[in-house]
Amino acid sequence: MVSQTPTPNDGSPPPITPGGTYSIQTVTVGCKIYIRRPGPNGETEERLAEILSIRDKPNNLYAKRNKPEADAPTKLEDQREYFVHWEHFNKRLDDWVVGSRLVLSRDLEWPRPKQPVTKKATPSKKPGKAPPGKAPRTQNLLKKATTNAALATSPTPAPSTPMLVDEYLPSPSPAPSLKRKTLHLPDDEEEEEEEEEEEEDAEGEDADAEGEMDVDGEGEVETFDLSMTEPAPELPPLSSFSKEKEIEKLRTSGSMTQSISEIARVKNLNRLQIGRHEVEAWYFSPYPKEYAHLPVLYICEFCLAFFPSPLMFSRHRQRCTMLHPPGNEIYRHEDISFYEIDGKRQLTWCRNLSLLSKCFLDHKTLYYDVTPFMYYVMAKRDSAGCHIIGYFSKEKESAESYNVACILTLPQHQRHGYGKILIEFSYELSKKEGKLGSPEKPLSDLGLLGYRAYWAETIIDLLLSTPESELSIDDIAQKTSITHADVMNTCSTLQLFKHYKGQHIICLNNAVLEKHQKTMAKKRRRIHPEYLKWKPPVFTRDQLRFGF
């Protein structure tokens, strides 16, 4: 039905199987097929989607929310579920669908076959001699071994986004070590040298043939031995593992040994109940595998503990005495409060917060330690307690002068202006510190929109409030605590720079002024600095020592 000859990946059309000539058993991971989904007007539409993962329909202990009805014979196509990415749709809409929604009467698009890797012709090497500018192979292997040994004895993660799991690791993975991706990019020369070493090791074969997984192709891979509580089981031979088996295992088990670029695409949770709100998870979050694929995961909105059934959750609520985030209240105005929480003192709560936020953040990498971070949680007060709206985390000591590591407004509170309050509050803290600040990159799509709107509104408001005085880029940065780079990018995006008499000036055009007036006409909450009771924390060397 489909030609097996490799199709060159040069823009030629992928292999197609005509509709009606294949069965549902033919559909595999990587195929693109039309699937029925609800349309914008309530009608059913057929849209092209890519199959990312296939599983048998889960039979979880807590999966049935109501009393089980009489068992009905299950159709063959409904015995399996498919995780799909809708073509031209945002990634957060990826979802599991049953087989009966697949349209088998339309064409099935197969992935393009990989081209065979041809080994580059290299000049013959004399034994005992290394190419100029490169260390001998034995020295490289020794260097790798000593580096891994040093990391295993003192696993100190580089400060970055505080997304972690430590207590909730499932059963040990077949891989002897856990991998994580750091956000620090290596030098080009080191990257080229590593690629050359991998080509020599593979000898013409795929570098991932024995279960090794790429980490985005641009991050630095480090290994950590996390088997501190119990000895690791005896490992089977590496030849029994393949990349496909490892990916599929990690997709479904919730393990932390995952490749961000390949496996985080498959979300493992359906819906979350947080207080009186029930929201749908957007992305993968490494909750324990026993909690995966539940219809609803119940989360306490005060202590952030999670439970698989409403009975267990109701029993917990009767015993839970927490009514606000476990930290110091540093800001209170009207019904909004901000709490400062040290990740080293409130490990469990901050870890639960990181698990929850990972359900709605896809661009952040998971880490195992929250101690390098301070958390600033925004809550809304009422007679029942302080309900979490959103938060941002901040490194205790940031070499790159980041004032935000991770920022999130929970989905049930979005589109109410709370995101700008979080951003404005982070810059008020920077003003108190007397520093310029910028959020950690990369930003999510929603985060980038929020920051661009705040930067534009703040800079234009400052320019309008000082019409007679001349303001330079440095003056704007010092008055707003926004870094020079962010000020320059914002002004360039708004096209505020004009060339006048041999020099560049900042000029507000009519379109920018009109848009700013519409924005200011909308009533929104603002941060009032006089209600902020906070001093920048000072940490000793022992308090900045990160570890488990």
Side-chain angles (χ1 to χ4, degrees), residues 418-436:
Y418 293 123
K420 280 190 177 180
I421 298 179
L422 286 169
I423 296 173
E424 187 177 356
F425 190 81
S426 68
Y427 280 103
E428 288 297 332
L429 298 185
S430 297
K431 292 176 183 178
K432 285 275 188 178
E433 292 175 317
K435 299 178 181 179
L436 304 183

Side-chain angles (χ1 to χ4, degrees), residues 190-207:
E190 295 179 359
E191 198 169 297
E192 292 175 0
E193 186 172 317
E194 291 175 0
E195 290 177 358
E196 292 177 2
E197 292 174 4
E198 290 178 359
E199 288 179 0
E200 292 178 3
D201 295 341
E203 292 184 358
E205 297 180 359
D206 188 6

Side-chain angles (χ1 to χ4, degrees), residues 203-269:
E203 292 184 358
E205 297 180 359
D206 188 6
D208 298 338
E210 295 185 352
E212 286 290 316
M213 293 190 300
D214 297 335
V215 184
D216 284 357
E218 59 182 10
E220 179 181 317
V221 178
E222 299 177 4
T223 57
F224 298 97
D225 184 10
L226 297 185
S227 56
M228 296 184 296
T229 56
E230 57 185 50
E234 185 176 355
L235 299 175
L238 290 176
S239 58
S240 62
F241 294 102
S242 66
K243 182 178 179 181
E244 288 74 15
K245 290 181 180 179
E246 178 71 5
I247 288 176
E248 193 59 30
K249 176 186 179 300
L250 297 176
R251 278 175 170 168
T252 56
S253 67
S255 171
M256 291 295 295
T257 62
Q258 59 189 2
S259 170
I260 299 301
S261 61
E262 296 189 60
I263 301 158
R265 303 173 68 182
V266 181
K267 68 177 182 180
N268 56 343
L269 300 176

Side-chain angles (χ1 to χ4, degrees), residues 168-185:
Y168 315 121
L169 287 175
S171 56
S173 171
S177 60
L178 300 185
K179 297 183 179 180
R180 75 175 178 91
K181 169 193 158 194
T182 62
L183 296 181
H184 304 288
L185 297 179

